[in-house]
Amino acid sequence: MDHGGRVERAFSVAGDLLLGAACPGCGRAAVGLCPGCRALLAEPEPSVTRPEPCPAGFPPTVAGGPYDELLRNLISAHKERQAWLLTPALGRRLARSLAPLVDLAGPGQVRLVPVPSSTAAVRSRGRDATGAIAHAAAARLNRERRGHPIRVVRLLRPVRRLADQSDLTETERHTNLAGAYAVRRAGSADAAARLIVVDDLVTTGSSLTEAARALSVAGLDVVGAAVIAATVRHSGPRTAARLSDR
Ligand SMILES: [Zn+2]
């Protein structure tokens, strides 16, 4: 056996591990989320948010804070690079947005309904990122609260292939999502529960509006929506750039 070769290989593996040990929030050397990013993530107070312009039927929505660079890095690492170690931290942030809505819902049964990703997106990522964050948030709230356990139910499914929302203008987003979600048959306990729609982000409000609309049309009771972060809308250069793209 070539001892030297084995040692070399062992060092190379250690090197890969060290190089890979960067905080997904700031890129500094750390295993997982560094303490600084963890503190920043817990800093903002959740607040009621409304997109501008606000689509008709937009549900009362609580956001965990602004969609800043930290959140952009974390949500993208979680969704696109399968950084599942971030699920509990993002779930904690979502739980903070959910708390006032759970209070508003009152003492009955509460269900969290994740906005569905397109089936193709879930297949390529191997896991439903939003659903995983919803489960982590529910687990956290259930540890903190008495009363009926809060459960996650996937009552919504996409009825057709959706274009990636991030590539679309605001008007295109509304059109892309009109009638986009179908409601699965709810069990009797779920049908009687108060529902909170959950998603990672709110931008134009199209997804949350369409999700709440589909559930309400099916006769279900939607209290509101909770998201991890809300984007700050830029109506200046970005819109101009989009218009000149045409
Ligand atoms: Zn960090």
Side-chain angles (χ1 to χ4, degrees), residues 65-138:
Y67 185 49
D68 52 17
E69 194 186 347
L70 172 64
L71 264 299
R72 192 155 43 239
N73 290 343
L74 297 184
I75 290 175
S76 134
H78 187 255
K79 195 185 268 185
E80 313 298 340
R81 301 201 308 278
Q82 286 82 40
W84 302 137
L85 58 91
L86 294 176
T87 308
L90 292 172
R92 191 176 316 135
R93 170 91 166 218
L94 182 62
R96 282 162 55 88
S97 309
L98 278 163
L101 290 157
V102 173
D103 289 341
L104 189 67
Q109 299 272 358
V110 175
R111 300 287 187 268
L112 311 184
V113 182
V115 169
S117 315
S118 70
T119 339
V122 173
R123 206 178 300 127
S124 73
R125 290 168 192 149
R127 195 166 88 139
D128 171 9
T130 310
I133 296 169
H135 276 283

Side-chain angles (χ1 to χ4, degrees), residues 107-196:
Q109 299 272 358
V110 175
R111 300 287 187 268
L112 311 184
V113 182
V115 169
S117 315
S118 70
T119 339
V122 173
R123 206 178 300 127
S124 73
R125 290 168 192 149
R127 195 166 88 139
D128 171 9
T130 310
I133 296 169
H135 276 283
R140 185 159 190 96
L141 288 167
N142 290 334
R143 279 198 299 275
E144 290 169 353
R145 289 169 177 261
R146 291 159 183 275
H148 297 289
I150 296 163
R151 295 185 212 284
V152 179
V153 277
R154 289 186 166 80
L155 287 175
L156 295 170
R157 63 178 174 81
V159 287
R160 54 188 159 74
R161 212 181 129 72
L162 303 175
D164 188 340
Q165 289 284 96
S166 54
D167 296 337
L168 303 179
T169 63
E170 190 175 305
T171 316
E172 285 167 346
R173 284 182 185 217
H174 293 307
T175 313
N176 183 41
L177 284 171
Y181 306 133
V183 179
R184 292 195 170 97
R185 241 171 72 108
S188 55
D190 296 341
R194 307 210 71 191
L195 308 179
I196 304 172

